[in-house]
Amino acid sequence: MKKLVLFTVLVVALLVAIALLANQAQKKDVALDSHPSTEGQPLLGDKDAPVSVVEFGDFKCPACKAWGERIYPQLKEDFIDTGKANLSYVNVLFHGEESTLAALAAESVFKNDPDSYWEFQKALFDEQPEQDHDAAWITVDKLVEVAGNTTDVDPEQLRKEIEGKAFKKQLEEDNALVEEFKIESTPTVIINGVKLDDPYDYERIKSLIEDGQD
Ligand code: CA
């Protein structure tokens, strides 16, 4: 009898422990009080889609390149091209001068040739070295070259706008979002007000987007 009681107690304790662990795993995503405003940000897909996915990214960050290669194509095919979600990108400048140069160029492309923005964005991430990503690779010449291959932006105008920090204000607006939403690492992905613990968890992304369809 004593053995049976002990066994029951152990089983119950084990079940409680499993339930707590499962709960914790779920809890790592953060439900925010609000969703970042996408006004004035590049937006891919239907602007009236029921779900907004916002990526906070940095052109100098290898994990962002990886997100673009591993998650973005599937996300685009399953949810953006089908009108279920749209995607916005907010610049984060955690890697200093090179991050800033790339973000200035991206804002300039977005302003002058918005239809080419995403192609430029992807092409720029493609230029990020696979191995030694700490090595300097973002230069004004490189940005002008990538824009020349992917956009109709006038190269001399782009050069001037990067060097003259013409879109400094847009970077400040992006930074205000970084602070407001306490972005500490890149990429950070927020889906309808839920900040993902693991931006590479495609099943989680999928379920959040599906939950957001009315
Ligand atoms: Ca921006």
Side-chain angles (χ1 to χ4, degrees):
M1 188 62 185
K2 255 190 186 171
K3 268 186 185 164
L4 185 65
V5 170
L6 188 63
F7 179 73
T8 308
V9 167
L10 279 176
V11 168
V12 169
L14 191 67
L15 287 175
V16 168
I18 289 170
L20 282 176
L21 277 176
N23 201 19
Q24 234 176 15
Q26 289 259 313
K27 265 192 191 158
K28 286 197 225 150
D29 289 340
V30 181
L32 305 168
D33 296 335
S34 63
H35 185 71
S37 164
T38 58
E39 207 188 310
Q41 303 294 353
L43 187 140
L44 185 70
D46 180 353
K47 69 173 176 42
D48 296 321
V51 174
S52 162
V53 179
V54 177
E55 178 194 0
F56 286 82
D58 183 332
F59 288 103
K60 184 73 179 159
C61 137
C64 301
K65 178 185 171 82
W67 194 86
E69 288 168 359
R70 280 164 47 192
I71 302 298
Y72 167 84
Q74 197 66 48
L75 177 73
K76 184 173 181 295
E77 187 181 329
D78 292 347
F79 298 111
I80 298 171
D81 293 347
T82 55
K84 292 179 176 170
N86 56 44
L87 173 69
S88 290
Y89 182 87
V90 178
N91 291 298
V92 182
L93 311 176
F94 286 166
H95 290 82
E97 181 63 17
E98 282 180 86
S99 302
T100 304
L101 283 179
L104 284 167
E107 294 288 354
S108 174
V109 166
F110 176 52
K111 190 74 174 190
N112 293 304
D113 184 11
D115 290 344
S116 300
Y117 172 81
W118 293 95
E119 206 187 326
F120 171 79
Q121 206 243 35
K122 292 297 155 209
L124 193 52
F125 273 117
D126 286 346
E127 291 287 331
Q128 188 188 106
E130 296 286 345
Q131 302 297 329
D132 188 12
H133 49 79
D134 282 336
W137 65 276
I138 301 175
T139 60
V140 178
D141 285 342
K142 173 58 77 183
L143 294 164
V144 171
E145 177 198 314
V146 174
N149 294 334
T150 51
T151 77
D152 292 328
V153 172
D154 175 64
E156 281 322 301
Q157 186 188 345
L158 177 62
R159 185 179 292 278
K160 263 189 214 154
E161 289 185 350
I162 299 169
E163 287 171 349
K165 295 188 166 42
F167 294 93
K168 192 168 164 261
K169 187 173 147 279
Q170 279 72 7
L171 299 200
E172 286 165 2
E173 285 167 7
D174 286 8
N175 194 51
L177 290 173
V178 168
E179 286 180 4
E180 182 183 350
F181 290 90
K182 301 185 172 57
I183 306 303
E184 285 164 351
S185 59
T186 52
T188 289
V189 173
I190 301 180
I191 301 178
N192 274 12
V194 176
K195 196 199 259 184
L196 295 187
D197 175 59
D198 177 6
Y200 300 95
D201 183 349
Y202 192 69
E203 288 308 308
R204 179 68 179 141
I205 291 173
K206 219 166 130 178
S207 86
L208 280 170
I209 295 176
E210 276 159 3
D211 287 352
Q213 309 297 315
D214 303 306

